[in-house]
Amino acid sequence: MSSFQEIFGMSPVAVGRAPGRVNLLGDHTDYNDGYVLPIAIDQHTLVSMRPNNKHEYVLHADALDVTVRFTLDHPPSEHFATYVYGCLVEARAAGVKTSVLDIHVCSSVPIGVGLSSSAALEVATLRALRSLTGVQLDDVLIARLAQLAEVKHAGVRCGIMDQMASSLADTRNALFLDTRTLERRLIPLPPVSAVLVLDSGVPRSLADSGYNRRRAECEEAARRLGVTALRDIHDSSASRALPEPLQRRVRHVVSENDRVRRAAACKNAEEFGELMNASHASLRDDYEVSIPQLDYLVALLQANPHVYGARLTGAGFGGACVALCEPSRLKDVAAAVLYSYNDAGHPGGSVLVPFTKGSANPA
Ligand code: GLA
């Protein structure tokens, strides 16, 4: 791993740090103005910067061992750099003026598995800019600017969950968030429970196209039902007049919003786990964003006596799943489940949370 000092020969003058997140419940609800329940993870991204007296920004990404040069007049062609570029452009539009910078990024958030490495990069960049300039950007504004960077500059029509989680969540409490009003509350995990995240080892293919298609279907369903967003539908029988697959999409969003609200009020790990299991079934059958390997991994977790519940997490189409487990059995559960997963002919698969430094494919 390289440091800012090693790459640029000087110390940085500002540093921003932000975590990845895992979503416990409430997937594909945020762009429907609904409810989500993410929690921050220990893996985080560190962005260091210093004015460089040059004409170009110089951005070094440790994970890729790549240096990119750009100005704010043209987006860089390297995809990862568009997240940083987007943050610089949106921050400038919000009144954060800086001179041209040297920027160094390093991260332990795994890329492309559904743990929000992009939101961590955006929020860490904006936090570093806040520290550099002293401009008062509150944490919600940082999340909004980060989302704008992703939507307008990285070309992903995401909701606001990931950026709000990276900016406002912590690793001990889940963030119960109403994505329409941004009202939120920190919720402790149910007593005697802990989070386990396993990667299926299957890259998230189709994630962008499938995600955008689901989003368009929801917008179409909301339009036909005469509401601003599917969050405004409380009874999925209202969708009976719609053609398939719109009916099923509506059923997922309505039932998922209901599960998130119930989980936020629930003090019991078994009950919370059942809501996670139901969420997986809904994401698999009604929203159709699972894949066979994730279904298998989730089924192994659900069958384990020390697991309260499990589901795919994030956008789906590959990547990771999350389980709520007995804290004292996390290691045993992970080992037993991954053994059976590999034994059934699925290569790959690894433990992402709990995080042991140096283990899970540091980005
Ligand atoms: C991605 C998006 C989020 C959210 C999830 C699915 O992580 O960035 O905004 O829509 O998918 O819940």
Side-chain angles (χ1 to χ4, degrees):
M1 264 182 34
S2 68
S3 64
F4 186 98
Q5 173 84 42
E6 280 158 8
I7 299 295
F8 296 108
M10 279 185 259
S11 309
V13 295
V15 175
R17 176 189 159 116
R21 65 95 186 96
V22 60
N23 191 22
L24 299 179
L25 214 48
D27 270 314
H28 295 279
T29 47
D30 63 350
Y31 53 82
N32 290 300
D33 280 3
Y35 301 92
V36 293
L37 197 60
I39 188 166
I41 57 176
D42 281 324
Q43 291 97 318
H44 61 270
T45 297
L46 213 57
V47 173
S48 316
M49 48 182 63
R50 175 183 185 108
N52 67 11
N53 298 317
K54 295 179 196 145
H55 299 295
E56 289 177 320
Y57 287 79
V58 182
L59 167 64
H60 182 83
D62 183 53
L64 309 171
D65 196 20
V66 164
T67 303
V68 178
R69 291 162 203 279
F70 60 87
T71 69
L72 296 194
D73 299 330
H74 297 287
S77 48
E78 293 77 0
H79 186 64
F80 88 91
T82 58
Y83 295 98
V84 174
Y85 166 85
C87 290
L88 292 163
V89 170
E90 293 307 320
R92 184 180 58 180
V96 181
K97 302 270 183 315
T98 63
S99 44
V100 177
L101 303 165
D102 286 340
I103 304 173
H104 180 268
V105 175
C106 72
S107 178
S108 54
V109 185
I111 296 173
V113 294
L115 298 184
S116 287
S117 56
S118 57
L121 173 57
E122 293 148 6
V123 172
T125 301
L126 289 160
R127 284 181 172 168
L129 284 172
R130 172 169 69 186
S131 147
L132 182 74
T133 59
V135 175
Q136 292 304 312
L137 300 174
D138 68 35
D139 292 338
V140 172
L141 181 56
I142 283 196
R144 286 186 191 278
L145 294 174
Q147 186 201 16
L148 276 181
E150 185 141 351
V151 173
K152 284 172 58 184
H153 304 278
V156 184
R157 289 188 69 214
C158 62
I160 201 164
M161 163 170 70
D162 303 345
Q163 292 77 12
M164 283 293 283
S166 184
S167 189
L168 287 131
D170 64 52
T171 53
R172 292 171 309 282
N173 301 285
L175 179 75
F176 173 53
L177 173 69
D178 177 337
T179 63
R180 172 173 278 172
T181 62
L182 298 191
E183 274 172 52
R184 59 203 174 270
R185 217 166 63 228
L186 288 174
I187 311 260
L189 287 178
V192 207
S193 69
V195 173
L196 176 68
V197 179
L198 298 182
D199 181 21
S200 66
V202 182
R204 291 189 310 164
S205 61
L206 286 181
D208 290 350
S209 55
Y211 185 89
N212 286 340
R213 205 168 333 116
R214 294 298 177 282
R215 189 170 175 151
E217 287 165 354
C218 289
E219 286 164 359
E220 170 68 6
R223 194 185 60 74
R224 290 183 184 223
L225 293 170
V227 290
T228 308
L230 290 185
R231 177 287 185 33
D232 299 311
I233 305 291
H234 300 287
D235 177 357
S236 49
S237 63
S239 69
R240 275 199 200 123
L242 298 180
E244 289 292 11
L246 301 192
Q247 264 192 51
R248 275 177 288 142
R249 307 297 187 246
V250 173
R251 196 159 60 208
H252 167 71
V253 174
V254 172
S255 64
E256 188 81 344
N257 276 330
D258 182 52
R259 283 186 285 273
V260 177
R261 277 174 304 190
R262 282 164 57 196
C266 126
K267 308 259 180 294
N268 171 300
E270 278 85 9
E271 205 184 309
F272 196 108
E274 275 163 29
L275 293 166
M276 293 173 83
N277 294 345
S279 168
H280 185 77
S282 178
L283 287 161
R284 182 191 60 212
D285 302 336
D286 282 344
Y287 219 66
E288 297 175 290
V289 292
S290 192
I291 56 166
Q293 294 91 329
L294 270 176
D295 290 340
Y296 189 62
L297 195 53
V298 166
L300 289 171
L301 284 161
Q302 290 176 348
N304 188 292
H306 306 293
V307 172
Y308 301 112
R311 61 189 282 278
L312 72 82
T313 184
F317 304 101
C321 59
V322 60
L324 197 68
C325 301
E326 290 173 24
S328 60
R329 308 308 287 258
L330 280 178
K331 271 193 178 159
D332 306 342
V333 169
V337 165
L338 287 177
Y339 178 84
S340 306
Y341 184 67
N342 293 150
D343 201 41
H346 302 300
S350 57
V351 183
L352 301 176
V353 173
F355 174 57
T356 342
K357 273 205 173 85
S359 70
N361 43 280

